[in-house]
Amino acid sequence: MRIATWNVNSVRSRIDRVLGVLERHDLDVLLLQETKCRDDQFPTMPLSAAGYEVAMHGLNQWNGVAVISRVGIEDVRVGFENMPTYGEPPVAEARALGATCGGIRVWSLYIPNGREIGHEHFHYKLDWLANLRATAAGWLSADADAQVLLAGDWNVAPTDEDVWDPAFFEGKTHVTDEERAAFRAVVDAGYADLVRPFTAEPRTFTYWDYTQLRFPKKQGMRIDFALGSPALAARVTDAEIDREERKGKGASDHAPVLVTLSD
DNA sequence: ATGGTTGACGTTCAA
């Protein structure tokens, strides 16, 4: 079984690339973030034609998450228990979608960006990660053998090796001690990084800003992660970051992150 | 090339 996560940055503008990724990697499950469309706008038909089912959750042009699977989609859940809201009036944004695919409880996650240190959105980000940790820890308390995948755009670079220049990020989000601690808390709750062991080279990135020729200059960040429960981590045989997908006209600014599991 | 990216409900916002 092969599962991938990808911040697609508009599923409508990139549906052909989505189909290409599914085929090229022979994916069973693909988790998308930043689909940027309402459910009724989602390009379901070409995915169905390719043999995939789709569960999506999008409220407007912002955020949006989806699960694409050819091994079934059951028990779909929009948002997680205690997921924080944002704004006034409070809105439960389209940032988390859970489903059971081929016996694995998968979550497509789009962690809030944070915008600026100290911004209301920054506190929202930290709360969001803390509540996710609490809820996900509960899943393992209830069933230590649960097969759970927490995957998506975490908007955190967990170490200095995960950014192209730590000095550039001083005073910016994604690299602060608070964000890193919030990410590490999820790992410490029992969810291991399934990909880093297979992509351990420093300066291995999953995201490159569109501006300033960041991609050709290899100036990126590792902020997209697939974290797995112990039972799931035990099944991982390979993982990779599809850097090729970032190339060419019409690429997302994020690369797909892939995990291969034993049966 | 006084530029420098992309996508969306866009003449602005978010990333």
Side-chain angles (χ1 to χ4, degrees), chain A residues 158-196:
Chain A
T159 77
D160 279 350
E161 290 190 339
D162 299 324
V163 297
W164 60 273
D165 179 10
F168 177 84
F169 289 91
E170 285 178 19
K172 294 186 174 70
T173 60
H174 294 58
V175 301
T176 66
D177 290 344
E178 287 169 293
E179 290 164 283
R180 286 175 171 175
F183 178 87
R184 195 178 318 115
V186 179
V187 175
D188 291 345
Y191 293 91
D193 186 334
L194 305 181
V195 177
R196 195 184 290 268

Side-chain angles (χ1 to χ4, degrees), chain A residues 2-30:
Chain A
R2 183 169 292 125
I3 304 180
T5 183
W6 187 23
N7 181 321
V8 69
N9 187 16
S10 172
V11 68
R12 284 180 292 173
S13 71
R14 252 176 282 287
I15 184 59
D16 288 346
R17 278 182 176 262
V18 171
L19 293 165
V21 166
L22 289 168
E23 180 173 2
R24 183 162 73 255
H25 297 293
D26 195 25
L27 293 180
D28 295 295
V29 180
L30 175 59

Side-chain angles (χ1 to χ4, degrees), chain A residues 130-144:
Chain A
N131 288 13
L132 173 63
R133 183 213 64 81
T135 296
W139 296 334
L140 288 183
S141 297
D143 178 9

